[in-house]
Amino acid sequence: MDGRRRRSGRPDVSYGNSDGIAHNRSVILGTIHGYYKEALAVLPLDDLPELAPRLVGAGVCFGFGDPTTNIIANTLSSFLPDKPDPDHRAKKHKRKASIKTPSAAARSDAAGDAPSPPPETRTIAERSLEGLITFLTSYFRYLPTWDALRYLCLANADLLVAVRLIELDRYYNTKDERFHISSYAARAALTCVASSARQPDVDGFIAGSFSLASHLEFVTQTVLADRSYVLSVEKILLLSGMLKKKPRMLDKSDNPMIFADERRLRNCHTDANASGDANCEKVPGGLTISLRAVLLDKIHAKYLKAISRLPMQDVRARYHRALVNGGYCYGPFSCVTNIIVNTLWYDSTFPAMEKLEVDMICTSTFVRVESRSLRGLIKLLLTCIPEISEHDAMIYLLKNNLKVRKAIEMAGAEGWKSSWDVSAYKAAADASFHPEPEAYVQFSTQSLPKVQAAVKSLLRASTPLSSNDVLQLATLLPSSNCISAKSLETIVDLSTDALDMFIAFKEKFVTQQGFFHRKIEAALRKKFYASSLLS
């Protein structure tokens, strides 16, 4: 846009409150109506009246550009110009003023003058709002609707600015975590958006969106060059033809997120100058119900990375049990190293009584160990810094990528007093329902520090470990002398009902495992066949 911040109202942060949600929707709709007025002001509707129904039908304000550019681009992507009529200018002056022309209908629809209709006949502005919400809640896992509305308020209904604000709020700092339009997740979210906004041509909308991204700088400059003049018919035809071409390779100068960041900073500086708040670019923190789920996603990524470093055959034949029982991500190292070390230690100290080779680990089992790991991390931090709340602990973990010691350092720099002793690991083990808390505490506080340097040396590289590396590491880790009596007890024979239940569960697991195994093998064969044809 032109750099002006739209002050139609501040977001309501009453999470889940119906009045707050209604307020935010009203604020965003008012902002969107302003964008449509700008788009209508530069479109030559008098010379090309056929643009009006295209705008009402397909000219949504979301896409990879700023909202006004998106409206015009989406309108032109579906625009098929008629043959020029030499008598058109003469005819248009003879129309009766009482007749509501397509241009007038488009202005009324975009301005939101009429009462809110049912979903199948929503105005283009209302459909745009639904699309914006759908994109954010589809792309960002666990983002509730009221949070999406808050970000859209802060971003002035600019989709990619809202995406960037969420990335900053959730501390997506690595290249892999940040939004990229070529990712499968972005394309899937765009498809969901087109359906929720009732776009007449979903495939055409997606193709037009990527065409806009590949010519973003030129289209944006053309559309927003001079707001005092209506775009000429020649420019409309040029843009329409460009947006219908196959998208070219994305150039760095056309990166949509660079433009989005510029709009975010430009709008923020305007508010900063007005209010004197130098930190206004930060998204206001609030108690979001998605915070815990965001941390769980990060923990899930750590587990996947840890598993990828272990020899797959060893995981299938042996370490899967220790991973889900004692392979928690807290400890003296990084999360990935803690998972590996804790898994190998638990397997060697409490070996399985019966061997079982598996091809997969159930999702529910993975969710359980990840959730318990998070409980342990939070409790560890709360024990070291007893004055902070659980929400503050999660914020510190999020800001420091789950690194507890860095989180403690950050809290200390902000004035919180901290201490670290044996009780921290004991609290974490109890909170995570560790099967052998006493043994783990002794291992992590007494035995492990003696070999900590050697363990770091073995796991310094991020390359996959061989079976010999794993054996060497497992031998290096000392077994605890404090083995609970519970682990030495003789296993009690199961009752008939319990045994039947266990057998049924095992059969169900084997059936599911076989199904997924066949699906993956078929997918790999298909990929191999396709690559062999290309080569």
Side-chain angles (χ1 to χ4, degrees):
M1 298 306 297
D2 61 356
R4 294 172 294 175
R5 180 85 173 201
R6 297 174 179 274
R7 291 183 177 83
S8 49
R10 299 299 298 166
D12 188 293
V13 293
S14 304
Y15 292 87
N17 181 281
S18 58
D19 292 337
I21 292 174
H23 168 79
N24 287 345
R25 292 183 72 95
S26 175
V27 168
I28 298 167
L29 270 176
T31 303
I32 291 174
H33 290 147
Y35 292 132
Y36 277 101
K37 289 177 182 177
E38 291 178 355
L40 289 167
V42 298
L43 285 172
L45 296 181
D46 291 336
D47 294 329
L48 295 173
E50 58 268 37
L51 282 175
R54 295 292 180 180
L55 184 147
V56 172
V60 288
C61 77
F62 50 78
F64 297 137
D66 65 86
T68 301
T69 299
N70 289 333
I71 293 169
I72 295 173
N74 290 328
T75 299
L76 298 183
S77 293
S78 64
F79 173 57
L80 298 174
D82 298 329
K83 293 181 180 180
D85 184 357
D87 299 327
H88 170 66
R89 292 184 180 274
K91 290 178 181 177
K92 69 179 182 180
H93 293 296
K94 296 179 181 180
R95 292 174 182 160
K96 294 182 180 180
S98 60
I99 298 177
K100 191 172 186 179
T101 65
S103 300
R107 290 187 174 92
S108 175
D109 189 20
D113 295 335
S116 181
E120 62 273 12
T121 55
R122 284 178 179 145
T123 65
I124 188 64
E126 290 169 328
R127 287 163 48 206
S128 289
L129 174 56
E130 292 307 311
L132 290 167
I133 296 170
T134 300
F135 188 97
L136 295 182
T137 55
S138 299
Y139 184 81
F140 292 101
R141 296 179 66 187
Y142 314 114
L143 184 75
T145 298
W146 54 81
D147 255 355
L149 288 168
R150 179 172 70 94
Y151 285 114
L152 288 170
C153 276
L154 292 166
N156 298 310
D158 190 319
L159 178 61
L160 293 192
V161 172
V163 168
R164 188 69 187 116
L165 290 177
I166 296 172
E167 288 181 338
L168 291 172
D169 212 12
R170 292 187 170 193
Y171 295 89
Y172 290 168
N173 297 320
T174 66
K175 185 179 179 181
D176 293 337
E177 290 178 320
R178 290 177 183 170
F179 176 84
H180 198 282
I181 67 168
S182 62
S183 67
Y184 289 112
R187 182 178 285 271
L190 206 62
T191 304
C192 294
V193 164
S195 299
S196 71
R198 296 181 177 270
Q199 285 295 89
D201 182 4
V202 173
D203 293 335
F205 165 74
I206 294 173
S209 297
F210 285 100
S211 292
L212 170 63
S214 65
H215 301 91
L216 187 57
E217 186 174 24
F218 176 79
V219 175
T220 301
Q221 289 178 352
T222 303
V223 169
L224 305 179
D226 193 339
R227 296 293 181 83
S228 61
Y229 292 97
V230 175
L231 289 172
S232 66
V233 174
E234 290 74 18
K235 284 187 176 179
I236 290 292
L237 297 178
L238 172 66
L239 292 176
S240 179
M242 181 180 295
L243 293 170
K244 288 184 176 66
K245 290 182 180 178
K246 184 178 180 180
R248 58 179 175 81
M249 187 69 70
L250 190 65
D251 188 72
K252 186 176 181 181
S253 62
D254 286 317
N255 188 334
M257 293 310 293
I258 293 178
F259 286 88
D261 251 337
E262 290 175 354
R263 295 195 298 276
R264 177 181 67 86
L265 294 173
R266 185 167 59 238
N267 289 339
C268 179
H269 291 159
T270 303
D271 270 0
N273 294 334
S275 63
D277 183 5
N279 296 318
C280 70
E281 66 204 74
K282 295 182 179 180
V283 178
L287 183 59
T288 65
I289 64 172
S290 61
L291 179 56
R292 185 182 295 272
V294 173
L295 290 170
L296 283 173
D297 263 2
K298 288 183 175 290
I299 290 175
H300 182 67
K302 303 296 183 185
Y303 272 94
L304 294 180
K305 190 171 182 180
I307 292 174
S308 71
R309 292 203 60 194
L310 293 169
M312 191 51 58
Q313 185 56 38
D314 291 357
V315 173
R316 293 172 58 196
R318 180 175 180 178
Y319 294 119
H320 57 86
R321 168 189 163 272
L323 176 71
V324 298
N325 282 332
Y328 295 109
C329 71
Y330 51 79
F333 305 107
S334 67
C335 284
V336 173
T337 301
N338 286 331
I339 294 169
I340 295 172
V341 168
N342 291 337
T343 297
L344 299 184
W345 168 79
Y346 187 85
D347 178 78
S348 61
T349 307
F350 306 98
M353 299 187 65
E354 180 183 352
K355 290 186 177 180
L356 175 65
E357 185 166 333
V358 300
D359 291 331
M360 72 175 193
I361 300 175
C362 292
T363 301
S364 58
T365 305
F366 238 140
V367 169
R368 183 187 67 193
V369 69
E370 291 165 357
S371 179
R372 290 180 173 182
S373 277
L374 178 57
R375 286 171 61 93
L377 286 171
I378 294 172
K379 193 63 177 180
L380 186 62
L381 202 55
L382 289 173
T383 306
C384 294
I385 318 171
E387 294 181 1
I388 65 173
S389 66
E390 182 174 318
H391 174 71
D392 291 334
M394 288 193 287
I395 290 292
Y396 282 124
L397 288 172
L398 183 62
K399 288 182 177 180
N400 293 279
N401 197 24
L402 304 172
K403 296 175 182 176
V404 175
R405 292 195 181 274
K406 284 194 173 183
I408 292 174
E409 290 175 5
M410 176 180 284
E414 294 178 0
W416 296 105
K417 294 181 180 180
S418 64
S419 62
W420 187 297
D421 55 29
V422 177
S423 63
Y425 280 127
K426 179 63 168 65
D430 289 338
S432 61
F433 303 104
H434 197 289
E436 305 293 343
E438 293 84 3
Y440 176 74
V441 171
Q442 180 176 315
F443 164 70
S444 58
T445 59
Q446 298 179 27
S447 305
L448 188 55
K450 298 175 183 177
V451 295
Q452 190 165 329
V455 171
K456 280 186 176 180
S457 179
L458 279 173
L459 294 173
R460 181 176 291 116
S462 58
T463 54
L465 299 168
S466 66
S467 294
N468 288 333
D469 294 332
V470 171
L471 183 60
Q472 183 181 355
L473 183 58
T475 305
L476 184 64
L477 297 174
S479 297
S480 172
N481 295 323
C482 176
I483 300 178
S484 68
K486 182 184 70 173
S487 21
L488 298 177
E489 291 177 356
T490 304
I491 297 178
V492 180
D493 291 335
L494 296 175
S495 66
T496 303
D497 291 343
L499 186 60
D500 291 343
M501 186 183 298
F502 175 78
I503 292 172
F505 180 82
K506 186 175 180 180
E507 288 176 350
K508 181 180 180 182
F509 171 79
V510 172
T511 302
Q512 290 178 336
Q513 178 177 263
F515 171 78
F516 287 113
H517 189 89
R518 291 190 298 273
K519 285 288 185 182
I520 292 171
E521 282 191 335
L524 290 174
R525 284 196 300 269
K526 183 178 180 181
K527 184 177 181 180
F528 175 78
Y529 178 72
S531 60
S532 62
L533 288 177
L534 292 174
S535 59

